[in-house]
Amino acid sequence: MKKWLLLLLSCMLVFTLAACSEGSGKDVTGGVEIKQVSDMKGTVRVALAGWQLDNGINAQTGNSTIGLTEYMDKTFKKMYPNIKVELYQIPWENVKAKQTAMLMSGDADVLYTGGAFASQWYQDGLLRDLDDLIKEDTSFDPGIYLDGIMNNSYSTKSPDGTKQFGIPAVLGRRMTIYDKKLFSDWGVEGLTEKATPDEILEKAKKMTGKNPKTGEQNYGVYWSGNSLNGSTFVALTLAFGAKGAEGSLKDVKSIKWHLNTPEMVKVMEWLKEAAKLPPAGFITAQGAENFGLEKNNIAIALDSTGGATMNEFIANNNKELLDRFEPVMNMGPKGEGWVAVDPFVMAKNAKDVKASWEVLKFLTSPMTQKYTYENFAMTPTIKQADFVKPEDKYVKKALDIANVGHSELMDEANPFYMSDIVPAVNGFISKAASGNAPDTQQFLDELQDRAEKWSANLK
Amino acid sequence: MILSNEMNADKKMTPKRKKWFTRNDWTGYLFSAPLIIGVLAFAIYPMFAALFISFHQTSGLSLNGKWVGLSNYRYALEDPVFWQALTNTFLMGVLSVVLGIVLSFVLASLINNLKWNFGKNFFKAVYFLPNVVSAVATSLLFSFLFFPSKEGLLNFVLSWFGVHHPIGWFTNPEVSRYSIVLMSLWGALGYNTIIFLAGLQSVPRDLYEAAEVDGAGGYKKWLHITIPYLRPIFVFMLIMGTIGGMKRFTDVWLIGGTAGNPGGSLMTVVLYIYRNAFLASQMGLATAASYLLFIIILVLTAVMMLLNRRKDSLD
C-alpha cells in the first residue's frame, strides 16, 4: 500500500514539474515575427532591481504574467542568438548597496536601477556615457522617448546636462486624482485640468467633515506624509516657484541654498494648512487604502497612481470606478510634478560594450516596454505608447506630466535633499497634523542654517 | 659534584621553550584559518576601514577621500538631530530592556511552575512564535493593529472600555515611542523567556528544599534564591538588550520613514547613520556617527559589567 502511495505521489510530482517547466505558450511579441538581427557574439550580465524573472501571477489582478527569462528567450535570443544574457534579479530592498558592490567588483555590465542611484554612480565614475554608442547606432532613435525625461532628468543625464548615461525604461506615476462622487455629494465643482495648490486646498477644506449625503467622515485631501522622496513637496516648490537651491549637483559643496525664501514659506504654509485635512494615518503613509475603490472617503489624492482603480478594471471590468476617479495634471505651473525615472545604465568597465549596448537598447525598446506594461503595469517612457489600454487614463496622464517634467535641485539626486530636507519637511507635516506646527519662518531659517553647515562641512 | 648535580636538576626543571609551529600546531592553524580569515576580512578590516573613512569626506566607494580630521565627528556632535536621535534611542532602549527583562522573567517563572509538561511546552512555543516573525512583518502587522482611527483593532477594543477617542499609536509623537516599545516587547518576549526558563531549570533543587525546611514560602524562595541565582543571566540580558536597543532601526524606519515620523519621535541613531550613508552618500559622516554610537555602547556595557563585579553573596 505504502509503495503504491509513494508511486502515486512521485507520478504527481513528475507531472506537476513537467507541466510547470513548460513556457507559458503566450505570445509576447504582439504577433510580430522575430528574426535574427545579428550574429554578434558576447556575454552580458544584467543586474535588475525588482524585475520578475519567472512566470507567475499578478497578485492584484489575478492575471498570469510572463517572466523576463521567457520573454528574452522568445525575443532577444532569436534576434541575437550568439549573445548570452545572464540575468540577475536584486530585490529593491537595499538594492543600492548590492548594485554598487556589483559595479565595483565588475560583476555587472548593464543595470536597471533607481534614478537617484544611477545619478550618484555616474558622479562617482562608475557608469559609462552612452553618447558615442547612440551616435554610432543609426537604428537607435533617442527621439522616441519623452523629452522631459530623456533630456531633462538627473536619472539619465549628467548633472551639467551634457552627457547621456541612462536610457529611461520605467516611469513613476504621480498625478492628482479626485473622486467625482464625493465632489458631487458635497456640491463642489470638479478640479480643473491644472489644479493649483490653492484650488486644491480650497476645495479640500469644503469636503472635510461629515458627507452631507452619506453621513460618513470624508477627508478633503491626502498625500503620503512620510514619502521617501518628498514628491508632493517638490510639486509644491514648482507651483510656488520656490527653487530651494542654486548650483549644480556636479559640485554639491558649492550649492547655494535658498530654503527660507518667501516662496518656500508659502510651500510650508500650504502644507501646514493641508495637514489638518487628511486621515490621521497619512503621516505614516496609511489611511488611503480605499482610495480608488468603492468605499473611498478621500476627495483628492496628490501624487496618486490610479493603480487600485485600474486593477479593479482589469480584474472585474469595473468601469464605474474608472469614471468616478478622474486624474488631472500635477501642481506645477505646466502641470508638472516630481517624475521618477528608472533607467537602464551601463557599467564603466562593461566587458563587452557592443553586446551590452544591444541588450540595453533592447530592454528599453518599445517592444520591451509593451511587455512590461502588459505584464506588470509598468509605465512606459516613450511618446508613442500605442499599446496602452484606451481606458488607462492614468498612464496617459502620467505620460503628459512626464513630458513637461524637468529636474530641479529639490530632487532625490541631491544628497542633502534626501538626508535632511525631506525628513525635516515630513517632520514639519507630522507636527502640523497634530496641531503643533513650528513657526514656519523659524523652521526654514533653521533648515537654511543646517544646509549651510552641511555644505561647509564638505569644503 | 654537588654543583654539577644541581645544574643538572636545574636543567631538568627548566621547561623547554615551546616551538612556535609544531606539526600539531600547523594542523590546528589550518583548521582555524577559515574562521580567522573570515573574522579578519569581515569584522576587523571593516572596523578599521570605517574608522579610517570617518576622518574623510567620501561617498564610501573607496578609501581615498579628502582628509577632514575630526570634522565629521564635530558635525555629528553639534547636530541637534543626532542628539534627538540619541535621546529617542536611549528612551526606547531603556524601556524595552527593563520591561522586557521584568516581564519575561515573570512569564518564565510562571511557566516554570506549571506542573503539566505539555502546558510548559505549549506556552514556550506560543511565546516564542513572535520571535521567528521578521521585523518587517511585525511592523506591518502592528501598523494595522495600531491604526490611528477607530477602525484600528486596538482602538476598537479600547472603545469597549470607554476609550472613545482613538489613540494615535504611531501618529502622535507623545505616544509613538511607547507603541514601538510595546511592539518590540511582543517580538522579544519569547526569546528572553526561553533564556530565563533555561536558567530557572538550572537552580539546584536542594536550595529550595533547604529554604522550605527553614519555612520559606513560594514568594520568599523566588525573591531570595531564584533571583540572586539568576543574576548572571540578568546581566547577560541587560547587556544584550542594551546593545540591541541602541541599534534599533528596522521597525522605526518601516513605520516612521526617514523622518522618524511622527515629529522625529522615532528618529534613532542608526536611522541617522542610514540617512547619511545611503541617502546622502556621506559615508564619512555616517561612519563617524557609527563610531560615536560604538563608544556609547562600549561605555554602557563597561559600566554594567563594572557594577556586576561585586561577588555574588550566594557563592
Side-chain angles (χ1 to χ4, degrees):
Chain A
M1 182 64 190
K2 270 185 182 174
K3 278 183 186 171
W4 281 106
L5 191 66
L6 199 66
L7 189 69
L8 185 71
L9 282 172
S10 305
C11 287
M12 280 171 68
L13 188 68
V14 168
F15 287 131
T16 312
L17 284 173
C20 292
S21 62
E22 278 296 306
S24 66
K26 275 190 174 180
D27 172 40
V28 290
T29 62
V32 178
E33 193 190 342
I34 305 293
K35 290 178 183 167
Q36 183 172 340
V37 175
S38 161
D39 56 2
M40 185 188 289
K41 286 182 181 171
T43 300
V44 181
R45 299 155 304 166
V46 185
L48 301 145
W51 285 46
Q52 189 180 309
L53 301 187
D54 299 321
N55 296 350
I57 288 175
N58 182 328
Q60 285 162 326
T61 63
N63 292 348
S64 61
T65 54
I66 299 166
L68 185 66
T69 308
E70 182 177 329
Y71 170 71
M72 293 295 276
D73 283 346
K74 286 183 172 173
T75 53
F76 189 82
K77 205 171 179 181
K78 290 181 180 169
M79 294 159 78
Y80 299 88
N82 299 320
I83 296 181
K84 187 183 171 197
V85 181
E86 293 174 3
L87 300 172
Y88 300 102
Q89 192 254 7
I90 297 140
W92 272 107
E93 293 81 33
N94 209 14
V95 75
K96 188 186 177 190
K98 287 171 183 163
Q99 287 191 323
T100 305
M102 290 182 96
L103 278 170
M104 290 174 73
S105 59
D107 285 327
D109 303 307
V110 173
L111 299 99
Y112 168 80
T113 192
F117 306 153
S119 173
Q120 182 70 52
W121 290 331
Y122 181 76
Q123 288 170 65
D124 288 329
L126 293 171
L127 301 183
R128 187 191 192 285
D129 288 329
L130 302 174
D131 298 284
D132 56 331
L133 297 165
I134 293 171
K135 201 176 172 186
E136 278 172 23
D137 191 342
T138 50
S139 69
F140 180 78
D141 179 10
I144 65 169
Y145 297 93
L146 293 160
D147 293 327
I149 53 171
M150 184 70 174
N151 303 319
N152 293 314
S153 171
Y154 286 129
S155 308
T156 54
K157 282 272 187 182
S158 59
D160 58 5
T162 57
K163 307 275 187 194
Q164 190 87 37
F165 66 83
I167 306 294
V170 178
L171 194 68
R173 270 184 275 176
R174 284 180 177 81
M175 66 203 86
T176 305
I177 299 180
Y178 70 97
D179 183 344
K180 285 204 257 183
K181 180 184 171 294
L182 292 192
F183 271 67
S184 160
D185 288 352
W186 286 89
V188 175
E189 201 180 327
L191 290 180
T192 54
E193 180 54 22
K194 288 178 188 166
T196 62
D198 289 337
E199 180 191 340
I200 288 169
L201 190 59
E202 183 207 329
K203 290 179 176 169
K205 279 181 180 171
K206 286 179 188 167
M207 292 179 284
T208 301
K210 297 280 177 202
N211 185 307
K213 285 197 175 164
T214 64
E216 284 180 0
Q217 175 67 32
N218 284 174
Y219 302 95
V221 68
Y222 181 89
W223 76 98
S224 171
N226 73 349
S227 160
L228 181 66
N229 44 49
S231 53
T232 305
F233 172 72
V234 175
L236 287 166
T237 60
L238 294 170
F240 286 108
K243 283 231 167 246
E246 260 182 311
S248 164
L249 288 179
K250 203 175 179 182
D251 186 14
V252 178
K253 59 181 179 291
S254 300
I255 287 177
K256 284 197 166 56
W257 300 100
H258 303 298
L259 293 167
N260 53 355
T261 58
E263 292 80 15
M264 199 59 87
V265 172
K266 283 183 192 167
V267 170
M268 300 312 293
E269 286 294 330
W270 189 95
L271 286 170
K272 192 193 272 189
E273 277 297 299
K276 298 168 191 162
L277 309 177
F282 89 107
I283 61 165
T284 49
Q286 287 184 295
E289 290 78 10
N290 286 325
F291 188 80
L293 301 173
E294 186 63 39
K295 287 182 178 173
N296 173 52
N297 58 359
I298 293 164
I300 304 165
L302 306 177
D303 287 331
S304 194
T305 65
T309 312
M310 207 50 212
N311 283 337
E312 264 298 297
F313 174 73
I314 294 168
N316 304 316
N317 203 24
N318 191 336
K319 282 185 185 161
E320 264 180 42
L321 287 180
L322 265 187
D323 293 336
R324 182 174 158 183
F325 292 95
E326 191 63 26
V328 295
M329 298 290 276
N330 212 314
M331 292 187 282
K334 293 178 191 164
E336 69 269 46
W338 184 71
V339 179
V341 183
D342 292 341
F344 269 97
V345 292
M346 194 185 296
K348 182 94 175 175
N349 53 359
K351 271 190 180 168
D352 189 334
V353 171
K354 284 192 175 170
S356 297
W357 170 244
E358 293 303 330
V359 172
L360 192 155
K361 201 171 69 173
F362 177 77
L363 287 171
T364 52
S365 67
M367 186 198 279
T368 304
Q369 297 211 12
K370 178 176 182 288
Y371 153 75
T372 53
Y373 172 75
E374 287 174 350
N375 285 274
F376 307 110
M378 290 183 185
T379 310
T381 58
I382 50 176
K383 289 173 189 165
Q384 298 295 322
D386 48 10
F387 48 81
V388 172
K389 286 186 177 72
E391 298 87 357
D392 199 345
K393 52 187 179 182
Y394 307 109
V395 162
K396 287 176 186 165
K397 193 60 70 183
L399 295 176
D400 291 344
I401 293 169
N403 208 27
V404 292
H406 49 93
S407 284
E408 299 294 335
L409 281 172
M410 293 295 102
D411 187 281
E412 65 173 6
N414 178 344
F416 185 75
Y417 173 79
M418 283 298 275
S419 71
D420 288 71
I421 296 177
V422 173
V425 170
N426 285 345
F428 178 92
I429 292 167
S430 79
K431 284 176 186 162
S434 59
N436 300 313
D439 177 73
T440 305
Q441 189 63 54
Q442 192 187 339
F443 167 81
L444 289 173
D445 287 344
E446 282 170 11
L447 192 60
Q448 171 75 14
D449 185 44
R450 191 171 166 73
E452 285 169 2
K453 277 185 186 157
W454 184 86
S455 294
N457 191 47
L458 294 178
K459 285 176 182 169
Chain B
M1 185 68 188
I2 291 168
L3 190 69
S4 120
N5 279 346
E6 276 177 357
M7 278 176 75
N8 281 341
D10 271 359
K11 261 187 190 174
K12 276 177 194 167
M13 289 188 65
T14 312
K16 260 190 176 177
R17 229 192 137 117
K18 194 179 177 298
K19 279 185 184 173
W20 261 94
F21 289 105
T22 63
R23 193 181 165 81
N24 269 349
D25 287 345
W26 270 112
T27 317
Y29 284 121
L30 195 69
F31 275 104
S32 40
L35 180 71
I36 293 170
I37 294 169
V39 169
L40 285 174
F42 299 112
I44 307 294
Y45 169 73
M47 275 180 70
F48 282 103
L51 182 66
F52 186 74
I53 287 174
S54 71
F55 298 112
H56 288 78
Q57 202 75 64
T58 171
S59 64
L61 290 181
S62 74
L63 294 179
N64 302 324
K66 185 182 151 198
W67 173 267
V68 290
L70 290 170
S71 167
N72 288 323
Y73 287 91
R74 202 176 304 121
Y75 182 85
L77 288 170
E78 287 173 0
D79 189 352
V81 178
F82 178 78
W83 287 104
Q84 184 197 12
L86 194 61
T87 312
N88 292 335
T89 311
F90 201 70
L91 178 71
M92 287 188 277
V94 167
L95 279 174
S96 300
V97 171
V98 173
L99 289 175
I101 289 176
V102 171
L103 287 177
S104 56
F105 178 62
V106 171
L107 208 60
S109 300
L110 291 173
I111 294 173
N112 194 45
N113 280 336
L114 284 174
K115 302 284 180 223
W116 197 27
N117 258 345
F118 175 79
K120 270 187 190 176
N121 292 334
F122 174 77
F123 283 110
K124 270 195 267 183
V126 164
Y127 283 107
F128 193 72
L129 268 179
N131 199 58
V132 296
V133 180
S134 75
V136 177
T138 306
S139 304
L140 277 174
L141 174 72
F142 272 78
S143 63
F144 287 103
L145 285 179
F146 285 174
F147 203 78
S149 68
K150 62 181 182 341
E151 288 84 14
L153 188 67
L154 207 58
N155 280 332
F156 181 69
V157 171
L158 285 175
S159 70
W160 297 344
F161 301 98
V163 183
H164 295 296
H165 188 72
I167 297 171
W169 298 98
F170 287 140
T171 55
N172 182 349
E174 306 294 322
V175 182
S176 58
R177 283 175 290 209
Y178 305 105
S179 307
I180 288 283
V181 171
L182 267 179
M183 190 175 84
S184 62
L185 276 181
W186 179 82
L189 211 57
Y191 175 78
N192 293 353
T193 305
I194 295 288
I195 302 276
F196 274 123
L197 260 174
L200 285 168
Q201 282 159 9
S202 71
V203 182
R205 306 302 312 166
D206 48 359
L207 289 178
Y208 290 120
E209 283 160 12
E212 276 165 22
V213 170
D214 291 341
Y219 175 70
K220 280 199 169 176
K221 283 192 284 181
W222 189 66
L223 195 67
H224 296 294
I225 297 173
T226 313
I227 293 179
Y229 203 86
L230 292 186
R231 189 169 158 179
I233 295 180
F234 278 107
V235 174
F236 169 76
M237 303 290 258
L238 196 65
I239 292 174
M240 297 311 285
T242 305
I243 293 172
M246 293 305 285
K247 294 195 299 185
R248 187 183 293 278
F249 170 69
T250 312
D251 47 7
V252 288
W253 178 62
L254 285 166
I255 287 162
T258 53
N261 264 353
S265 60
L266 300 186
M267 179 77 192
T268 62
V269 180
V270 181
L271 187 53
Y272 179 86
I273 293 166
Y274 172 83
R275 257 166 51 169
N276 284 294
F278 299 108
L279 298 180
S281 295
Q282 296 287 301
M283 209 54 88
L285 177 56
T287 48
S290 302
Y291 261 91
L292 290 173
L293 178 64
F294 169 71
I295 292 165
I296 292 165
I297 293 176
L298 194 69
V299 169
L300 283 174
T301 310
V303 168
M304 280 184 280
M305 292 186 85
L306 277 174
L307 290 177
N308 187 52
R309 280 180 76 179
R310 188 170 58 86
K311 195 93 171 99
D312 201 304
S313 58
L314 268 179
D315 296 339

